[in-house]
mmCIF file of all heavy atoms in Angstrom:
data_model
loop_
_atom_site.group_PDB
_atom_site.id
_atom_site.type_symbol
_atom_site.label_atom_id
_atom_site.label_comp_id
_atom_site.label_asym_id
_atom_site.label_seq_id
_atom_site.Cartn_x
_atom_site.Cartn_y
_atom_site.Cartn_z
ATOM 1 N N TYR G 215 -0.396 23.091 21.293
ATOM 2 C CA TYR G 215 0.246 24.138 22.044
ATOM 3 C C TYR G 215 1.736 23.957 22.007
ATOM 4 O O TYR G 215 2.541 24.861 22.126
ATOM 5 C CB TYR G 215 -0.204 24.036 23.537
ATOM 6 C CG TYR G 215 0.288 25.254 24.412
ATOM 7 C CD1 TYR G 215 -0.318 26.474 24.416
ATOM 8 C CD2 TYR G 215 1.385 24.989 25.282
ATOM 9 C CE1 TYR G 215 0.097 27.508 25.175
ATOM 10 C CE2 TYR G 215 1.804 26.041 26.149
ATOM 11 C CZ TYR G 215 1.152 27.283 26.065
ATOM 12 O OH TYR G 215 1.609 28.296 26.880
ATOM 13 N N GLN G 216 2.225 22.605 21.825
ATOM 14 C CA GLN G 216 3.602 22.334 21.809
ATOM 15 C C GLN G 216 4.133 22.333 20.395
ATOM 16 O O GLN G 216 5.396 22.486 20.179
ATOM 17 C CB GLN G 216 3.879 20.989 22.463
ATOM 18 C CG GLN G 216 3.452 20.897 23.873
ATOM 19 C CD GLN G 216 3.771 19.503 24.422
ATOM 20 O OE1 GLN G 216 4.816 19.041 24.449
ATOM 21 N NE2 GLN G 216 2.648 18.856 24.874
ATOM 22 N N PHE G 217 3.192 22.377 19.355
ATOM 23 C CA PHE G 217 3.656 22.471 18.077
ATOM 24 C C PHE G 217 2.888 23.500 17.264
ATOM 25 O O PHE G 217 2.068 23.257 16.441
ATOM 26 C CB PHE G 217 3.480 20.976 17.335
ATOM 27 C CG PHE G 217 4.220 19.841 17.941
ATOM 28 C CD1 PHE G 217 3.627 19.126 18.986
ATOM 29 C CD2 PHE G 217 5.540 19.627 17.539
ATOM 30 C CE1 PHE G 217 4.298 18.082 19.510
ATOM 31 C CE2 PHE G 217 6.135 18.481 18.082
ATOM 32 C CZ PHE G 217 5.604 17.742 19.105
ATOM 33 N N PRO G 218 3.189 24.769 17.677
ATOM 34 C CA PRO G 218 2.380 25.883 17.162
ATOM 35 C C PRO G 218 2.746 26.138 15.608
ATOM 36 O O PRO G 218 3.686 25.551 15.118
ATOM 37 C CB PRO G 218 2.837 27.105 17.989
ATOM 38 C CG PRO G 218 4.199 26.666 18.368
ATOM 39 C CD PRO G 218 4.255 25.216 18.625
ATOM 40 N N HIS G 219 1.941 26.916 15.062
ATOM 41 C CA HIS G 219 2.130 27.514 13.654
ATOM 42 C C HIS G 219 2.008 26.357 12.690
ATOM 43 O O HIS G 219 2.543 26.517 11.509
ATOM 44 C CB HIS G 219 3.416 28.138 13.576
ATOM 45 C CG HIS G 219 3.758 29.142 14.599
ATOM 46 N ND1 HIS G 219 2.891 30.168 14.912
ATOM 47 C CD2 HIS G 219 4.748 29.220 15.408
ATOM 48 C CE1 HIS G 219 3.404 30.850 15.917
ATOM 49 N NE2 HIS G 219 4.482 30.268 16.307
ATOM 50 N N GLN G 220 1.333 25.228 12.932
ATOM 51 C CA GLN G 220 1.045 24.260 11.968
ATOM 52 C C GLN G 220 -0.259 23.548 12.301
ATOM 53 O O GLN G 220 -0.462 23.333 13.511
ATOM 54 C CB GLN G 220 2.231 23.273 11.692
ATOM 55 C CG GLN G 220 2.650 22.463 12.981
ATOM 56 C CD GLN G 220 3.777 21.608 12.754
ATOM 57 O OE1 GLN G 220 3.812 20.862 11.739
ATOM 58 N NE2 GLN G 220 4.772 21.511 13.678
ATOM 59 N N PRO G 221 -1.006 23.131 11.426
ATOM 60 C CA PRO G 221 -2.268 22.452 11.693
ATOM 61 C C PRO G 221 -2.006 20.881 12.118
ATOM 62 O O PRO G 221 -0.899 20.383 11.769
ATOM 63 C CB PRO G 221 -3.087 22.470 10.446
ATOM 64 C CG PRO G 221 -2.011 22.563 9.383
ATOM 65 C CD PRO G 221 -0.961 23.385 9.936
ATOM 66 N N ILE G 222 -2.891 20.323 12.790
ATOM 67 C CA ILE G 222 -2.829 18.870 13.054
ATOM 68 C C ILE G 222 -3.603 18.247 11.846
ATOM 69 O O ILE G 222 -4.702 18.579 11.623
ATOM 70 C CB ILE G 222 -3.407 18.532 14.440
ATOM 71 C CG1 ILE G 222 -2.470 19.131 15.515
ATOM 72 C CG2 ILE G 222 -3.571 17.016 14.600
ATOM 73 C CD1 ILE G 222 -3.080 18.870 16.896
ATOM 74 N N GLU G 223 -2.907 17.337 11.253
ATOM 75 C CA GLU G 223 -3.540 16.586 10.182
ATOM 76 C C GLU G 223 -4.357 15.388 10.781
ATOM 77 O O GLU G 223 -3.738 14.525 11.447
ATOM 78 C CB GLU G 223 -2.571 16.170 9.165
ATOM 79 C CG GLU G 223 -1.986 17.207 8.352
ATOM 80 C CD GLU G 223 -1.077 16.750 7.184
ATOM 81 O OE1 GLU G 223 -0.962 15.525 7.032
ATOM 82 O OE2 GLU G 223 -0.626 17.597 6.448
ATOM 83 N N VAL G 224 -5.622 15.242 10.508
ATOM 84 C CA VAL G 224 -6.467 14.161 10.992
ATOM 85 C C VAL G 224 -6.479 13.058 9.871
ATOM 86 O O VAL G 224 -6.933 13.393 8.682
ATOM 87 C CB VAL G 224 -7.824 14.686 11.242
ATOM 88 C CG1 VAL G 224 -8.816 13.469 11.669
ATOM 89 C CG2 VAL G 224 -7.882 15.765 12.368
ATOM 90 N N VAL G 225 -6.012 11.926 10.158
ATOM 91 C CA VAL G 225 -6.117 10.848 9.348
ATOM 92 C C VAL G 225 -7.386 10.045 9.523
ATOM 93 O O VAL G 225 -7.898 9.600 8.432
ATOM 94 C CB VAL G 225 -4.814 9.954 9.547
ATOM 95 C CG1 VAL G 225 -4.878 8.679 8.647
ATOM 96 C CG2 VAL G 225 -3.518 10.639 9.329
ATOM 97 N N CYS G 226 -7.691 9.704 10.686
ATOM 98 C CA CYS G 226 -8.956 8.993 11.028
ATOM 99 C C CYS G 226 -9.525 9.433 12.314
ATOM 100 O O CYS G 226 -8.800 9.511 13.352
ATOM 101 C CB CYS G 226 -8.663 7.543 10.969
ATOM 102 S SG CYS G 226 -10.037 6.470 11.474
ATOM 103 N N GLY G 227 -10.826 9.825 12.304
ATOM 104 C CA GLY G 227 -11.501 10.163 13.539
ATOM 105 C C GLY G 227 -12.431 9.078 13.995
ATOM 106 O O GLY G 227 -12.052 8.008 14.293
ATOM 107 N N TYR G 228 -13.750 9.419 13.786
ATOM 108 C CA TYR G 228 -14.815 8.478 14.084
ATOM 109 C C TYR G 228 -14.726 7.374 13.089
ATOM 110 O O TYR G 228 -14.468 7.608 11.909
ATOM 111 C CB TYR G 228 -16.176 9.084 14.153
ATOM 112 C CG TYR G 228 -17.404 8.156 14.059
ATOM 113 C CD1 TYR G 228 -17.566 7.317 15.169
ATOM 114 C CD2 TYR G 228 -18.156 7.986 13.077
ATOM 115 C CE1 TYR G 228 -18.621 6.299 15.159
ATOM 116 C CE2 TYR G 228 -19.246 7.184 13.033
ATOM 117 C CZ TYR G 228 -19.486 6.369 14.134
ATOM 118 O OH TYR G 228 -20.414 5.364 14.092
ATOM 119 N N ARG G 229 -15.066 6.145 13.586
ATOM 120 C CA ARG G 229 -15.061 5.006 12.696
ATOM 121 C C ARG G 229 -16.399 4.183 13.031
ATOM 122 O O ARG G 229 -16.488 3.707 14.143
ATOM 123 C CB ARG G 229 -13.848 4.184 12.752
ATOM 124 C CG ARG G 229 -13.702 2.999 11.811
ATOM 125 C CD ARG G 229 -12.463 2.115 12.201
ATOM 126 N NE ARG G 229 -11.224 2.879 12.092
ATOM 127 C CZ ARG G 229 -10.173 2.566 12.882
ATOM 128 N NH1 ARG G 229 -10.266 1.592 13.724
ATOM 129 N NH2 ARG G 229 -9.107 3.172 12.729
ATOM 130 N N SER G 230 -17.316 3.984 12.142
ATOM 131 C CA SER G 230 -18.437 3.319 12.440
ATOM 132 C C SER G 230 -18.079 1.782 12.740
ATOM 133 O O SER G 230 -17.119 1.214 12.233
ATOM 134 C CB SER G 230 -19.543 3.320 11.257
ATOM 135 O OG SER G 230 -18.968 2.622 10.141
ATOM 136 N N PRO G 231 -19.005 1.052 13.453
ATOM 137 C CA PRO G 231 -18.843 -0.315 13.663
ATOM 138 C C PRO G 231 -18.637 -1.045 12.321
ATOM 139 O O PRO G 231 -17.802 -2.069 12.236
ATOM 140 C CB PRO G 231 -19.995 -0.837 14.451
ATOM 141 C CG PRO G 231 -20.493 0.463 15.271
ATOM 142 C CD PRO G 231 -20.239 1.601 14.145
ATOM 143 N N GLU G 232 -19.434 -0.693 11.317
ATOM 144 C CA GLU G 232 -19.339 -1.393 10.012
ATOM 145 C C GLU G 232 -17.995 -1.219 9.443
ATOM 146 O O GLU G 232 -17.363 -2.190 8.835
ATOM 147 C CB GLU G 232 -20.544 -0.964 9.133
ATOM 148 C CG GLU G 232 -21.866 -1.305 9.580
ATOM 149 C CD GLU G 232 -22.349 -0.391 10.646
ATOM 150 O OE1 GLU G 232 -21.656 0.705 10.957
ATOM 151 O OE2 GLU G 232 -23.427 -0.654 11.313
ATOM 152 N N THR G 233 -17.495 0.036 9.364
ATOM 153 C CA THR G 233 -16.217 0.315 8.837
ATOM 154 C C THR G 233 -15.098 -0.379 9.591
ATOM 155 O O THR G 233 -14.155 -0.926 9.018
ATOM 156 C CB THR G 233 -15.969 1.869 8.859
ATOM 157 O OG1 THR G 233 -16.899 2.412 7.947
ATOM 158 C CG2 THR G 233 -14.513 2.144 8.266
ATOM 159 N N ASN G 234 -15.254 -0.391 10.923
ATOM 160 C CA ASN G 234 -14.145 -1.014 11.797
ATOM 161 C C ASN G 234 -14.100 -2.473 11.463
ATOM 162 O O ASN G 234 -13.016 -3.095 11.318
ATOM 163 C CB ASN G 234 -14.539 -0.755 13.251
ATOM 164 C CG ASN G 234 -13.349 -1.081 14.176
ATOM 165 O OD1 ASN G 234 -12.396 -0.157 14.255
ATOM 166 N ND2 ASN G 234 -13.358 -2.131 14.868
ATOM 167 N N ALA G 235 -15.257 -3.154 11.336
ATOM 168 C CA ALA G 235 -15.296 -4.579 11.016
ATOM 169 C C ALA G 235 -14.649 -4.782 9.623
ATOM 170 O O ALA G 235 -14.039 -5.803 9.436
ATOM 171 C CB ALA G 235 -16.798 -5.104 11.112
ATOM 172 N N LEU G 236 -14.998 -3.939 8.705
ATOM 173 C CA LEU G 236 -14.457 -4.078 7.310
ATOM 174 C C LEU G 236 -12.934 -3.985 7.372
ATOM 175 O O LEU G 236 -12.261 -4.849 6.714
ATOM 176 C CB LEU G 236 -15.019 -3.008 6.457
ATOM 177 C CG LEU G 236 -14.472 -3.060 5.032
ATOM 178 C CD1 LEU G 236 -14.846 -4.352 4.264
ATOM 179 C CD2 LEU G 236 -15.104 -1.893 4.245
ATOM 180 N N LEU G 237 -12.455 -3.051 8.067
ATOM 181 C CA LEU G 237 -10.967 -2.925 8.197
ATOM 182 C C LEU G 237 -10.252 -4.051 8.829
ATOM 183 O O LEU G 237 -9.266 -4.546 8.406
ATOM 184 C CB LEU G 237 -10.553 -1.587 8.908
ATOM 185 C CG LEU G 237 -11.011 -0.375 8.170
ATOM 186 C CD1 LEU G 237 -10.595 0.780 9.157
ATOM 187 C CD2 LEU G 237 -10.333 -0.176 6.948
ATOM 188 N N ARG G 238 -10.946 -4.658 9.780
ATOM 189 C CA ARG G 238 -10.456 -5.850 10.488
ATOM 190 C C ARG G 238 -10.369 -7.108 9.482
ATOM 191 O O ARG G 238 -9.483 -7.832 9.363
ATOM 192 C CB ARG G 238 -11.156 -6.247 11.693
ATOM 193 C CG ARG G 238 -10.921 -5.286 12.968
ATOM 194 C CD ARG G 238 -11.772 -5.664 14.119
ATOM 195 N NE ARG G 238 -11.718 -7.018 14.478
ATOM 196 C CZ ARG G 238 -10.792 -7.509 15.309
ATOM 197 N NH1 ARG G 238 -9.782 -6.713 15.671
ATOM 198 N NH2 ARG G 238 -10.799 -8.838 15.722
ATOM 199 N N GLU G 239 -11.486 -7.117 8.572
ATOM 200 C CA GLU G 239 -11.598 -8.255 7.705
ATOM 201 C C GLU G 239 -10.456 -8.134 6.687
ATOM 202 O O GLU G 239 -9.983 -9.073 6.129
ATOM 203 C CB GLU G 239 -12.924 -8.228 6.989
ATOM 204 C CG GLU G 239 -14.104 -8.685 7.934
ATOM 205 C CD GLU G 239 -15.453 -8.598 7.221
ATOM 206 O OE1 GLU G 239 -15.446 -8.210 6.032
ATOM 207 O OE2 GLU G 239 -16.459 -8.822 7.924
ATOM 208 N N GLU G 240 -10.118 -6.785 6.315
ATOM 209 C CA GLU G 240 -9.086 -6.557 5.317
ATOM 210 C C GLU G 240 -7.702 -6.666 5.882
ATOM 211 O O GLU G 240 -6.687 -6.559 5.171
ATOM 212 C CB GLU G 240 -9.276 -5.250 4.687
ATOM 213 C CG GLU G 240 -10.549 -5.071 3.864
ATOM 214 C CD GLU G 240 -10.808 -3.659 3.463
ATOM 215 O OE1 GLU G 240 -10.057 -2.723 3.863
ATOM 216 O OE2 GLU G 240 -11.610 -3.621 2.485
ATOM 217 N N GLY G 241 -7.608 -7.050 7.251
ATOM 218 C CA GLY G 241 -6.238 -7.244 7.745
ATOM 219 C C GLY G 241 -5.486 -5.966 8.205
ATOM 220 O O GLY G 241 -4.268 -6.155 8.361
ATOM 221 N N GLU G 242 -6.171 -4.970 8.353
ATOM 222 C CA GLU G 242 -5.442 -3.701 8.859
ATOM 223 C C GLU G 242 -4.823 -3.917 10.228
ATOM 224 O O GLU G 242 -5.565 -4.404 11.133
ATOM 225 C CB GLU G 242 -6.412 -2.572 8.845
ATOM 226 C CG GLU G 242 -6.824 -2.046 7.534
ATOM 227 C CD GLU G 242 -5.732 -1.102 6.817
ATOM 228 O OE1 GLU G 242 -4.855 -0.684 7.616
ATOM 229 O OE2 GLU G 242 -5.856 -0.992 5.618
ATOM 230 N N ARG G 243 -3.607 -3.648 10.346
ATOM 231 C CA ARG G 243 -2.903 -3.802 11.649
ATOM 232 C C ARG G 243 -3.395 -2.766 12.641
ATOM 233 O O ARG G 243 -3.562 -1.665 12.404
ATOM 234 C CB ARG G 243 -1.468 -3.748 11.438
ATOM 235 C CG ARG G 243 -0.836 -4.889 10.551
ATOM 236 C CD ARG G 243 0.720 -4.743 10.533
ATOM 237 N NE ARG G 243 1.199 -5.100 11.909
ATOM 238 C CZ ARG G 243 2.431 -5.026 12.293
ATOM 239 N NH1 ARG G 243 3.402 -4.614 11.429
ATOM 240 N NH2 ARG G 243 2.890 -5.397 13.404
ATOM 241 N N GLY G 244 -3.500 -3.273 13.798
ATOM 242 C CA GLY G 244 -3.844 -2.403 14.995
ATOM 243 C C GLY G 244 -5.353 -1.938 15.084
ATOM 244 O O GLY G 244 -5.605 -1.060 15.867
ATOM 245 N N VAL G 245 -6.136 -2.493 14.308
ATOM 246 C CA VAL G 245 -7.571 -2.202 14.334
ATOM 247 C C VAL G 245 -8.307 -3.185 15.341
ATOM 248 O O VAL G 245 -8.485 -4.354 15.116
ATOM 249 C CB VAL G 245 -8.336 -2.336 12.874
ATOM 250 C CG1 VAL G 245 -9.867 -1.965 13.044
ATOM 251 C CG2 VAL G 245 -7.679 -1.371 11.934
ATOM 252 N N ALA G 246 -8.565 -2.613 16.523
ATOM 253 C CA ALA G 246 -9.116 -3.370 17.585
ATOM 254 C C ALA G 246 -10.655 -3.628 17.390
ATOM 255 O O ALA G 246 -11.463 -2.835 16.719
ATOM 256 C CB ALA G 246 -8.956 -2.709 18.889
#
């Protein structure tokens, strides 16, 4: 509503527990 006339780009939505664990193992910053 505050940024009309352009789509919101989705980078990451749902993340399975397996994917989340893999990203943590790979050292991705900010992956809780």
